[in-house]
Amino acid sequence: MTKFRDFLLLALYCGFIFWLSHQPSLPAPMWFEHQDKLYHAGAYFILAFFTWRLLTHFISTPRHLAVVSLLFCSIYGISDEWHQSFVDGRSSDVLDWLADTLGAAFALFILYQFTSRSRFR
């Protein structure tokens, strides 16, 4: 049952990102330039957590788990940017994808460190 729950959480979150990307604009106040990069990094930080949770059911090595999770998040980020290129009012940006990937990498670094340290205790 936990596999299904983790799959459902990941699928719903991916759907939420897709829905956000399909909006012509998002009502977020702009306090500084490139603030959207933090939103991207934060969203993909969360995506990486859900991806890690699901993939722990299939991959037991933390290093492989981190690599596969990062690949998934990065490829999803690319597909999200491609999707946005078709949405009126939105644009595709390599820097957004980079922020997506870096946000996911940061989350996975934390998860990897936590997992590696807990195994040695």
Side-chain angles (χ1 to χ4, degrees), residues 5-46:
R5 181 199 63 212
D6 291 341
F7 172 77
L8 187 61
L9 287 171
L10 178 60
L12 287 172
Y13 193 73
C14 285
F16 177 65
I17 290 174
F18 183 88
W19 178 80
L20 286 174
S21 295
H22 202 67
Q23 305 308 305
S25 66
L26 298 175
M30 287 299 285
W31 294 306
F32 55 91
E33 191 176 6
H34 304 297
Q35 172 181 314
D36 66 311
K37 305 307 180 250
L38 288 178
Y39 294 145
H40 278 265
Y44 279 75
F45 183 97
I46 296 167

Side-chain angles (χ1 to χ4, degrees), residues 6-104:
D6 291 341
F7 172 77
L8 187 61
L9 287 171
L10 178 60
L12 287 172
Y13 193 73
C14 285
F16 177 65
I17 290 174
F18 183 88
W19 178 80
L20 286 174
S21 295
H22 202 67
Q23 305 308 305
S25 66
L26 298 175
M30 287 299 285
W31 294 306
F32 55 91
E33 191 176 6
H34 304 297
Q35 172 181 314
D36 66 311
K37 305 307 180 250
L38 288 178
Y39 294 145
H40 278 265
Y44 279 75
F45 183 97
I46 296 167
L47 179 65
F49 175 77
F50 287 131
T51 304
W52 177 281
R53 279 195 53 116
L54 175 63
L55 293 180
T56 58
H57 299 290
F58 306 100
I59 303 171
S60 60
T61 308
R63 182 172 289 150
H64 292 136
L65 184 58
V67 169
V68 173
S69 295
L70 184 61
L71 284 172
F72 174 82
C73 292
S74 186
I75 291 169
Y76 193 78
I78 290 169
S79 73
D80 182 49
E81 290 305 313
W82 182 67
H83 167 234
Q84 285 182 31
S85 71
F86 297 103
V87 177
D88 289 334
R90 299 300 289 266
S91 63
S92 182
D93 185 2
V94 170
L95 294 178
D96 287 347
W97 166 75
L98 185 59
D100 298 340
T101 303
L102 289 174

